[in-house]
Short mmCIF file of all heavy atoms in Angstrom, two decimals:
data_model
loop_
_atom_site.label_atom_id
_atom_site.label_comp_id
_atom_site.label_asym_id
_atom_site.label_seq_id
_atom_site.Cartn_x
_atom_site.Cartn_y
_atom_site.Cartn_z
N ALA A 1 17.08 11.98 -17.77
CA ALA A 1 17.74 12.65 -16.61
C ALA A 1 16.76 12.56 -15.42
O ALA A 1 15.58 12.24 -15.58
CB ALA A 1 18.08 14.10 -16.94
N SER A 2 17.31 12.84 -14.26
CA SER A 2 16.48 13.00 -13.09
C SER A 2 16.93 14.14 -12.25
O SER A 2 18.13 14.55 -12.32
CB SER A 2 16.48 11.69 -12.25
OG SER A 2 17.71 11.50 -11.66
N ILE A 3 16.03 14.66 -11.45
CA ILE A 3 16.36 15.79 -10.52
C ILE A 3 16.04 15.33 -9.13
O ILE A 3 14.91 15.05 -8.79
CB ILE A 3 15.60 17.07 -10.87
CG1 ILE A 3 15.95 17.51 -12.29
CG2 ILE A 3 15.87 18.14 -9.87
CD1 ILE A 3 15.15 18.67 -12.84
N GLU A 4 17.09 15.22 -8.29
CA GLU A 4 16.92 14.75 -6.90
C GLU A 4 16.49 15.95 -6.03
O GLU A 4 17.21 16.92 -5.93
CB GLU A 4 18.21 14.14 -6.42
CG GLU A 4 18.06 13.55 -5.01
CD GLU A 4 19.39 12.97 -4.53
OE1 GLU A 4 20.31 12.76 -5.34
OE2 GLU A 4 19.50 12.66 -3.32
N TYR A 5 15.34 15.79 -5.38
CA TYR A 5 14.93 16.84 -4.48
C TYR A 5 15.87 16.95 -3.29
O TYR A 5 16.48 16.02 -2.84
CB TYR A 5 13.49 16.52 -3.93
CG TYR A 5 12.43 16.41 -5.00
CD1 TYR A 5 11.57 15.29 -5.05
CD2 TYR A 5 12.23 17.37 -5.94
CE1 TYR A 5 10.60 15.18 -5.98
CE2 TYR A 5 11.25 17.31 -6.91
CZ TYR A 5 10.39 16.18 -6.92
OH TYR A 5 9.42 16.05 -7.85
N ASP A 6 15.88 18.18 -2.72
CA ASP A 6 16.70 18.39 -1.53
C ASP A 6 16.13 17.59 -0.35
O ASP A 6 16.88 17.06 0.48
CB ASP A 6 16.74 19.88 -1.13
CG ASP A 6 17.42 20.71 -2.23
OD1 ASP A 6 18.34 20.17 -2.85
OD2 ASP A 6 17.03 21.86 -2.43
N GLU A 7 14.77 17.46 -0.31
CA GLU A 7 14.05 16.62 0.66
C GLU A 7 12.91 15.92 -0.06
O GLU A 7 12.33 16.52 -0.99
CB GLU A 7 13.55 17.46 1.85
CG GLU A 7 14.57 18.00 2.76
CD GLU A 7 13.99 18.76 3.94
OE1 GLU A 7 12.75 18.74 4.08
OE2 GLU A 7 14.76 19.31 4.72
N PRO A 8 12.57 14.69 0.32
CA PRO A 8 11.42 14.00 -0.31
C PRO A 8 10.19 14.86 -0.26
O PRO A 8 9.90 15.52 0.75
CB PRO A 8 11.26 12.72 0.50
CG PRO A 8 12.62 12.49 1.12
CD PRO A 8 13.15 13.85 1.38
N ILE A 9 9.40 14.83 -1.36
CA ILE A 9 8.24 15.66 -1.47
C ILE A 9 6.99 14.73 -1.56
O ILE A 9 6.99 13.78 -2.36
CB ILE A 9 8.28 16.56 -2.72
CG1 ILE A 9 9.43 17.56 -2.53
CG2 ILE A 9 7.00 17.29 -2.95
CD1 ILE A 9 9.65 18.44 -3.76
N ALA A 10 5.99 15.03 -0.80
CA ALA A 10 4.75 14.23 -0.83
C ALA A 10 4.00 14.54 -2.14
O ALA A 10 3.86 15.68 -2.54
CB ALA A 10 3.84 14.61 0.35
N LEU A 11 3.59 13.44 -2.82
CA LEU A 11 2.85 13.63 -4.05
C LEU A 11 1.40 14.02 -3.69
O LEU A 11 0.84 13.48 -2.74
CB LEU A 11 2.83 12.33 -4.88
CG LEU A 11 4.19 11.85 -5.36
CD1 LEU A 11 4.04 10.53 -6.12
CD2 LEU A 11 4.88 12.91 -6.22
N LEU A 12 0.83 14.95 -4.42
CA LEU A 12 -0.48 15.49 -4.08
C LEU A 12 -1.52 15.23 -5.13
O LEU A 12 -1.23 15.09 -6.32
CB LEU A 12 -0.33 17.02 -3.85
CG LEU A 12 0.71 17.50 -2.85
CD1 LEU A 12 0.75 19.02 -2.85
CD2 LEU A 12 0.36 16.99 -1.44
N HIS A 13 -2.79 15.18 -4.67
CA HIS A 13 -3.91 15.20 -5.62
C HIS A 13 -4.06 16.65 -6.09
O HIS A 13 -3.54 17.57 -5.55
CB HIS A 13 -5.20 14.79 -4.90
CG HIS A 13 -5.23 13.30 -4.53
ND1 HIS A 13 -5.45 12.32 -5.47
CD2 HIS A 13 -5.10 12.67 -3.34
CE1 HIS A 13 -5.44 11.14 -4.89
NE2 HIS A 13 -5.21 11.32 -3.61
N PRO A 14 -4.82 16.83 -7.21
CA PRO A 14 -5.02 18.18 -7.73
C PRO A 14 -5.53 19.20 -6.68
O PRO A 14 -5.19 20.38 -6.71
CB PRO A 14 -6.03 18.00 -8.85
CG PRO A 14 -5.76 16.62 -9.35
CD PRO A 14 -5.41 15.80 -8.11
N ASN A 15 -6.32 18.71 -5.67
CA ASN A 15 -6.85 19.63 -4.67
C ASN A 15 -5.87 19.88 -3.54
O ASN A 15 -6.23 20.57 -2.55
CB ASN A 15 -8.18 19.12 -4.13
CG ASN A 15 -7.99 17.97 -3.15
OD1 ASN A 15 -7.02 17.22 -3.21
ND2 ASN A 15 -8.97 17.82 -2.24
N GLY A 16 -4.67 19.29 -3.60
CA GLY A 16 -3.68 19.50 -2.55
C GLY A 16 -3.63 18.43 -1.49
O GLY A 16 -2.67 18.46 -0.68
N ASP A 17 -4.54 17.50 -1.46
CA ASP A 17 -4.46 16.42 -0.48
C ASP A 17 -3.35 15.48 -0.88
O ASP A 17 -3.11 15.21 -2.04
CB ASP A 17 -5.82 15.61 -0.47
CG ASP A 17 -6.95 16.35 0.14
OD1 ASP A 17 -6.68 17.34 0.84
OD2 ASP A 17 -8.10 15.92 -0.05
N PRO A 18 -2.61 14.95 0.13
CA PRO A 18 -1.49 14.01 -0.19
C PRO A 18 -2.04 12.67 -0.75
O PRO A 18 -3.05 12.18 -0.27
CB PRO A 18 -0.81 13.82 1.17
CG PRO A 18 -1.84 14.16 2.19
CD PRO A 18 -2.69 15.23 1.59
N GLN A 19 -1.33 12.16 -1.75
CA GLN A 19 -1.66 10.85 -2.26
C GLN A 19 -1.25 9.76 -1.29
O GLN A 19 -0.22 9.87 -0.61
CB GLN A 19 -0.97 10.58 -3.62
CG GLN A 19 -1.46 11.48 -4.74
CD GLN A 19 -0.84 11.12 -6.05
OE1 GLN A 19 -0.41 9.97 -6.31
NE2 GLN A 19 -0.73 12.07 -7.00
N GLN A 20 -2.07 8.72 -1.21
CA GLN A 20 -1.77 7.59 -0.27
C GLN A 20 -1.84 6.26 -0.98
O GLN A 20 -2.67 6.07 -1.87
CB GLN A 20 -2.73 7.60 0.92
CG GLN A 20 -2.61 8.85 1.76
CD GLN A 20 -3.43 8.76 3.06
OE1 GLN A 20 -4.26 7.88 3.19
NE2 GLN A 20 -3.19 9.66 3.97
N LYS A 21 -0.97 5.34 -0.57
CA LYS A 21 -1.00 3.95 -1.05
C LYS A 21 -1.33 3.09 0.18
O LYS A 21 -0.44 2.79 0.97
CB LYS A 21 0.35 3.54 -1.67
CG LYS A 21 0.65 4.22 -2.99
CD LYS A 21 -0.21 3.67 -4.12
CE LYS A 21 0.29 4.26 -5.48
NZ LYS A 21 -0.52 3.76 -6.60
N ASN A 22 -2.60 2.75 0.32
CA ASN A 22 -2.99 2.00 1.52
C ASN A 22 -2.93 0.49 1.26
O ASN A 22 -2.88 0.04 0.12
CB ASN A 22 -4.42 2.40 1.91
CG ASN A 22 -4.52 3.81 2.39
OD1 ASN A 22 -3.79 4.20 3.30
ND2 ASN A 22 -5.40 4.60 1.76
N ILE A 23 -2.91 -0.26 2.35
CA ILE A 23 -2.97 -1.72 2.29
C ILE A 23 -4.38 -2.11 2.80
O ILE A 23 -4.62 -2.18 4.01
CB ILE A 23 -1.91 -2.37 3.20
CG1 ILE A 23 -0.51 -1.85 2.78
CG2 ILE A 23 -1.99 -3.88 3.14
CD1 ILE A 23 0.59 -2.40 3.68
N PRO A 24 -5.34 -2.31 1.89
CA PRO A 24 -6.76 -2.55 2.31
C PRO A 24 -6.88 -3.82 3.15
O PRO A 24 -6.32 -4.85 2.83
CB PRO A 24 -7.50 -2.67 0.96
CG PRO A 24 -6.60 -2.06 -0.02
CD PRO A 24 -5.22 -2.29 0.43
N PHE A 25 -7.67 -3.71 4.19
CA PHE A 25 -7.87 -4.83 5.12
C PHE A 25 -8.46 -6.06 4.35
O PHE A 25 -8.07 -7.20 4.62
CB PHE A 25 -8.81 -4.43 6.25
CG PHE A 25 -9.21 -5.57 7.11
CD1 PHE A 25 -8.28 -6.15 7.95
CD2 PHE A 25 -10.52 -6.03 7.17
CE1 PHE A 25 -8.61 -7.24 8.82
CE2 PHE A 25 -10.87 -7.12 7.97
CZ PHE A 25 -9.91 -7.68 8.83
N ILE A 26 -9.39 -5.82 3.42
CA ILE A 26 -10.02 -6.88 2.68
C ILE A 26 -9.00 -7.74 1.91
O ILE A 26 -9.09 -8.96 1.80
CB ILE A 26 -11.14 -6.39 1.75
CG1 ILE A 26 -11.89 -7.55 1.11
CG2 ILE A 26 -10.61 -5.43 0.73
CD1 ILE A 26 -12.66 -8.38 2.06
N VAL A 27 -8.00 -7.05 1.32
CA VAL A 27 -6.97 -7.74 0.58
C VAL A 27 -6.11 -8.55 1.53
O VAL A 27 -5.76 -9.69 1.25
CB VAL A 27 -6.09 -6.77 -0.26
CG1 VAL A 27 -4.97 -7.44 -0.96
CG2 VAL A 27 -6.98 -6.00 -1.25
N VAL A 28 -5.74 -7.96 2.67
CA VAL A 28 -4.96 -8.66 3.68
C VAL A 28 -5.73 -9.94 4.16
O VAL A 28 -5.16 -11.00 4.28
CB VAL A 28 -4.63 -7.75 4.86
CG1 VAL A 28 -3.93 -8.51 5.98
CG2 VAL A 28 -3.79 -6.55 4.39
N TRP A 29 -7.01 -9.72 4.40
CA TRP A 29 -7.90 -10.82 4.85
C TRP A 29 -7.87 -11.99 3.90
O TRP A 29 -7.73 -13.16 4.26
CB TRP A 29 -9.26 -10.27 5.08
CG TRP A 29 -10.33 -11.22 5.54
CD1 TRP A 29 -11.36 -11.71 4.82
CD2 TRP A 29 -10.47 -11.78 6.85
NE1 TRP A 29 -12.15 -12.55 5.58
CE2 TRP A 29 -11.65 -12.60 6.84
CE3 TRP A 29 -9.73 -11.66 8.02
CZ2 TRP A 29 -12.04 -13.32 7.95
CZ3 TRP A 29 -10.17 -12.36 9.15
CH2 TRP A 29 -11.31 -13.17 9.14
N LEU A 30 -8.03 -11.69 2.61
CA LEU A 30 -8.12 -12.72 1.58
C LEU A 30 -6.74 -13.39 1.33
O LEU A 30 -6.64 -14.64 1.25
CB LEU A 30 -8.63 -12.14 0.23
CG LEU A 30 -10.14 -11.78 0.22
CD1 LEU A 30 -10.43 -10.91 -0.98
CD2 LEU A 30 -10.95 -13.05 0.17
N VAL A 31 -5.70 -12.59 1.25
CA VAL A 31 -4.37 -13.15 0.90
C VAL A 31 -3.80 -13.90 2.10
O VAL A 31 -3.22 -14.99 1.91
CB VAL A 31 -3.40 -12.01 0.51
CG1 VAL A 31 -1.99 -12.54 0.32
CG2 VAL A 31 -3.90 -11.41 -0.80
N LEU A 32 -3.96 -13.40 3.32
CA LEU A 32 -3.45 -14.16 4.49
C LEU A 32 -4.20 -15.47 4.68
O LEU A 32 -3.63 -16.51 5.01
CB LEU A 32 -3.59 -13.31 5.77
CG LEU A 32 -2.57 -12.18 5.96
CD1 LEU A 32 -2.74 -11.51 7.29
CD2 LEU A 32 -1.14 -12.69 5.83
N GLY A 33 -5.49 -15.44 4.38
CA GLY A 33 -6.28 -16.68 4.40
C GLY A 33 -5.77 -17.66 3.43
O GLY A 33 -5.53 -18.88 3.73
N ALA A 34 -5.50 -17.20 2.21
CA ALA A 34 -4.99 -18.08 1.11
C ALA A 34 -3.61 -18.63 1.48
O ALA A 34 -3.31 -19.84 1.25
CB ALA A 34 -4.94 -17.31 -0.19
N LEU A 35 -2.74 -17.80 2.06
CA LEU A 35 -1.45 -18.25 2.47
C LEU A 35 -1.52 -19.30 3.56
O LEU A 35 -0.79 -20.32 3.52
CB LEU A 35 -0.58 -17.03 2.96
CG LEU A 35 0.82 -17.30 3.43
CD1 LEU A 35 1.66 -17.86 2.26
CD2 LEU A 35 1.47 -16.05 3.94
N PHE A 36 -2.42 -19.08 4.54
CA PHE A 36 -2.57 -20.03 5.63
C PHE A 36 -3.08 -21.39 5.14
O PHE A 36 -2.54 -22.44 5.47
CB PHE A 36 -3.55 -19.47 6.66
CG PHE A 36 -3.93 -20.45 7.70
CD1 PHE A 36 -3.08 -20.78 8.75
CD2 PHE A 36 -5.18 -21.11 7.69
CE1 PHE A 36 -3.44 -21.70 9.75
CE2 PHE A 36 -5.54 -22.03 8.67
CZ PHE A 36 -4.67 -22.32 9.68
N PHE A 37 -4.06 -21.37 4.21
CA PHE A 37 -4.61 -22.63 3.68
C PHE A 37 -3.54 -23.37 2.84
O PHE A 37 -3.46 -24.60 2.83
CB PHE A 37 -5.86 -22.38 2.85
CG PHE A 37 -6.97 -21.71 3.60
CD1 PHE A 37 -7.72 -20.68 3.07
CD2 PHE A 37 -7.28 -22.09 4.90
CE1 PHE A 37 -8.74 -20.07 3.77
CE2 PHE A 37 -8.27 -21.50 5.66
CZ PHE A 37 -9.04 -20.47 5.07
N THR A 38 -2.73 -22.58 2.13
CA THR A 38 -1.70 -23.19 1.28
C THR A 38 -0.68 -23.96 2.16
O THR A 38 -0.32 -25.08 1.87
CB THR A 38 -0.94 -22.09 0.48
OG1 THR A 38 -1.91 -21.44 -0.39
CG2 THR A 38 0.16 -22.66 -0.38
N ILE A 39 -0.20 -23.35 3.25
CA ILE A 39 0.74 -23.96 4.12
C ILE A 39 0.13 -25.12 4.91
O ILE A 39 0.70 -26.18 5.01
CB ILE A 39 1.36 -22.89 5.08
CG1 ILE A 39 2.15 -21.84 4.28
CG2 ILE A 39 2.24 -23.57 6.12
CD1 ILE A 39 2.57 -20.65 5.11
N ARG A 40 -1.11 -24.90 5.39
CA ARG A 40 -1.78 -25.91 6.22
C ARG A 40 -2.04 -27.18 5.40
O ARG A 40 -2.01 -28.30 6.00
CB ARG A 40 -3.10 -25.31 6.72
CG ARG A 40 -3.94 -26.24 7.61
CD ARG A 40 -3.27 -26.45 8.94
NE ARG A 40 -4.10 -27.21 9.84
CZ ARG A 40 -4.32 -28.53 9.82
NH1 ARG A 40 -3.70 -29.26 8.88
NH2 ARG A 40 -5.12 -29.10 10.69
N LEU A 41 -2.30 -27.08 4.10
CA LEU A 41 -2.61 -28.25 3.30
C LEU A 41 -1.42 -28.72 2.47
O LEU A 41 -1.50 -29.47 1.52
CB LEU A 41 -3.76 -27.96 2.35
CG LEU A 41 -5.12 -27.69 3.06
CD1 LEU A 41 -6.17 -27.30 2.01
CD2 LEU A 41 -5.56 -28.83 3.89
#
C-alpha cells in the first residue's frame, strides 16, 4: 500500500537538515567532455 501526503514532504537527515540530491560539477565536467569527444570523433 501507499499513503499519499496532502503536500510533498522534504526528506530529512536525522538532525533535521533536508536531504539533497546534487549534480556534482566534476561529474558534469567528465561526462560532458566524454559526450563531446564521442560526437566529435
Side-chain angles (χ1 to χ4, degrees):
S2 68
I3 298 173
E4 184 181 347
Y5 298 129
D6 297 328
E7 290 184 3
I9 295 175
L11 298 179
L12 305 176
H13 289 286
N15 76 333
D17 289 344
Q19 293 185 26
Q20 296 187 348
K21 291 286 186 180
N22 293 306
I23 304 177
F25 175 67
I26 185 65
V27 177
V28 175
W29 180 251
L30 287 166
V31 172
L32 285 184
L35 180 61
F36 172 76
F37 301 138
T38 299
I39 295 171
R40 181 69 174 77
L41 296 177

